[in-house]
Amino acid sequence: MTISRLPTAALSLKQFLQRQRILGIYRNMLKTIRQVPSEGDRKYLRDWARDEFKRNKSATNPDAIRMMVSQANNHLEELQKSLALARS
């Protein structure tokens, strides 16, 4: 008897693509945070990002998810701009 390793409720294509997009934002956020010069600030931002993504992991409302993705993109852009200004 073979046991399937697939989850009982597989994601639809739309959900899969949305998940990939969110994971990409998360990876870019962590990659950008690695460029922060201060170790203390890096740890704070890394913990903040992880907590926010974990806290919202179980969200299912499509409108709420769209809003959270938009906010995450805004935070990422703001962090990238701040780092660019700090370097110049």
Side-chain angles (χ1 to χ4, degrees):
M1 179 180 214
T2 305
I3 298 173
S4 175
R5 292 176 33 173
L6 292 174
T8 54
L11 298 175
S12 69
L13 177 61
K14 185 175 180 180
Q15 290 170 325
F16 174 79
L17 293 174
Q18 185 176 50
R19 183 175 187 273
Q20 293 304 308
R21 182 175 173 213
I22 293 168
L23 288 174
I25 294 169
Y26 181 67
R27 282 191 293 272
N28 285 337
M29 181 102 43
L30 292 179
K31 196 181 300 184
T32 302
I33 288 170
R34 278 189 233 124
Q35 298 172 13
V36 172
S38 166
E39 177 63 35
D41 291 341
R42 261 195 319 270
K43 180 174 177 3
Y44 171 78
L45 289 169
R46 188 173 46 243
D47 291 345
W48 170 80
R50 285 180 179 160
D51 290 343
E52 285 296 309
F53 277 84
K54 279 183 184 178
R55 187 169 54 90
N56 296 316
K57 183 179 180 179
S58 61
T60 56
N61 182 342
D63 292 332
I65 292 172
R66 262 193 304 276
M67 182 193 70
M68 288 184 270
V69 167
S70 176
Q71 286 178 340
N73 276 324
N74 289 341
H75 287 302
L76 178 58
E77 288 175 15
E78 188 176 319
L79 180 59
Q80 289 170 337
K81 288 177 185 175
S82 295
L83 286 171
L85 284 174
R87 283 188 223 124
S88 57

